[in-house]
């Protein structure tokens, strides 16, 4: 979603919204908006099926299977990318704290829905997938709001006006800890210069990308 730059008079900046602890449960806007995206996307798709007088019960069952398929796919379709990594083993494969992939989630959801609708329910999967396609787009857009909120995806350096600026004290997603900043040495509008005794002490600005 983002790309970095060193110095730019104009940039986008806002404090990342951290994980919120409510009792024993931790809430991240990444997960919250992913769930909202699935709900509104599925609801939109079901309404299209209702309009065409299709079997919405079968469709809803397929979408329910898709939820679990997406969770499984998002986790396990990342495994091939780690094969050969030093120390990577079965414990890493079955760990819920491993990496997850949005494309793996989509693939897993589609496969699970196909099994339920086409193979078990004997329905026309192509027809239902047409309804789901626009719902998938809607759900992805809503889900990406959560990515923006927690500043999850950052990429290469940029001087583009839509770059994201990381200011001192900003707590971005863990994979970008090295980009977090110390106190600024000089400030000039939105252009900040930082002392840099370590890679963490750099002023960084990032822009939306396809990640």
């Amino acid at each position: 979603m983002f790309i970095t730059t060193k110095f730019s008079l104009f940039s986008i900046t806002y404090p990342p919204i951290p994980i919120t602890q409510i009792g024993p449960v931790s809430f991240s806007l990444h997960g919250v908006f992913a769930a909202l995206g699935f709900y509104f996307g599925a609801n939109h798709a079901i309404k299209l099926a209702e309009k065409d007088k299709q079997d919405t019960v079968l469709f809803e069952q397929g979408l329910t299977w898709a939820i679990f398929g997406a969770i499984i796919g998002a986790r396990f379709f990342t495994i091939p990318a780690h094969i050969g990594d030093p120390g990577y083993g079965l414990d890493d494969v079955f760990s819920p704290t491993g990496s997850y992939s949005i494309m793996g989630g989509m693939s897993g959801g589609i496969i699970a829905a196909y099994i339920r609708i086409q193979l078990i329910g004997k329905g026309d999967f192509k027809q239902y997938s047409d309804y789901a396609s626009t719902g998938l787009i809607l759900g992805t857009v809503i889900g990406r709001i959560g990515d923006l909120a927690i500043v999850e995806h950052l990429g290469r350096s940029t001087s583009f006006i839509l770059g994201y600026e990381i200011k001192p004290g900003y707590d971005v997603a863990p994979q970008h800890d090295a980009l977090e900043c110390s106190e600024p040495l000089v400030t000039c509008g939105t252009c900040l210069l930082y002392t840099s005794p370590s890679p963490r002490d750099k002023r960084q600005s990032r822009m939306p990308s396809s990640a």
Side-chain angles (χ1 to χ4, degrees):
M1 274 181 336
F2 295 97
I3 298 184
T4 66
T5 185
K6 285 201 169 179
F7 302 107
S8 173
L9 292 176
F10 302 99
S11 61
I12 297 171
T13 186
Y14 54 85
I17 301 174
I19 294 175
T20 302
Q21 194 75 23
I22 302 178
V25 181
S26 298
F27 284 93
S28 168
L29 287 186
H30 183 282
V32 170
F33 276 92
L36 289 174
F38 189 95
Y39 172 79
F40 285 108
N43 192 53
H44 168 74
I46 291 170
K47 287 182 178 179
L48 294 179
E50 287 179 342
K51 185 177 179 181
D52 285 349
K53 302 187 185 314
Q54 297 294 325
D55 185 352
T56 55
V57 173
L58 176 61
F59 194 21
E60 290 169 359
Q61 292 172 348
L63 291 171
T64 301
W65 279 49
I67 294 174
F68 296 99
I71 295 172
I72 295 171
R75 179 67 191 91
F76 287 101
F77 279 134
T78 63
I79 293 173
H82 296 285
I83 293 176
D85 288 357
Y88 191 79
L90 288 178
D91 289 344
D92 300 293
V93 170
F94 294 102
S95 172
T97 59
S99 58
Y100 289 78
S101 163
I102 184 173
M103 298 307 295
M106 291 179 180
S107 299
I110 291 170
I111 292 170
Y114 176 82
I115 292 172
R116 180 63 188 91
I117 294 174
Q118 184 80 34
L119 301 184
I120 298 177
K122 306 302 180 183
D124 184 359
F125 179 75
K126 292 181 180 179
Q127 180 66 57
Y128 289 108
S129 62
D130 281 345
Y131 303 135
S133 60
T134 53
L136 182 61
I137 295 170
L138 175 62
T140 301
V141 171
I142 294 174
R144 282 302 187 181
I145 296 174
D147 294 341
L148 292 169
I150 68 172
V151 188
E152 182 184 26
H153 300 298
L154 299 174
R156 61 181 175 78
S157 297
T158 186
S159 59
F160 188 50
I161 190 172
L162 294 181
Y164 176 82
E165 178 184 342
I166 300 177
K167 291 187 175 182
Y170 279 13
D171 183 13
V172 295
Q175 65 266 36
H176 303 303
D177 282 349
L179 298 176
E180 293 176 4
C181 305
S182 64
E183 289 302 314
L185 178 64
V186 179
T187 63
C188 179
T190 60
C191 180
L192 304 179
L193 303 180
Y194 298 99
T195 56
S196 55
S198 72
R200 294 173 62 85
D201 298 334
K202 295 179 180 179
R203 184 265 183 192
Q204 298 288 346
S205 189
R206 304 212 159 195
M207 64 165 277
S209 74
S210 59

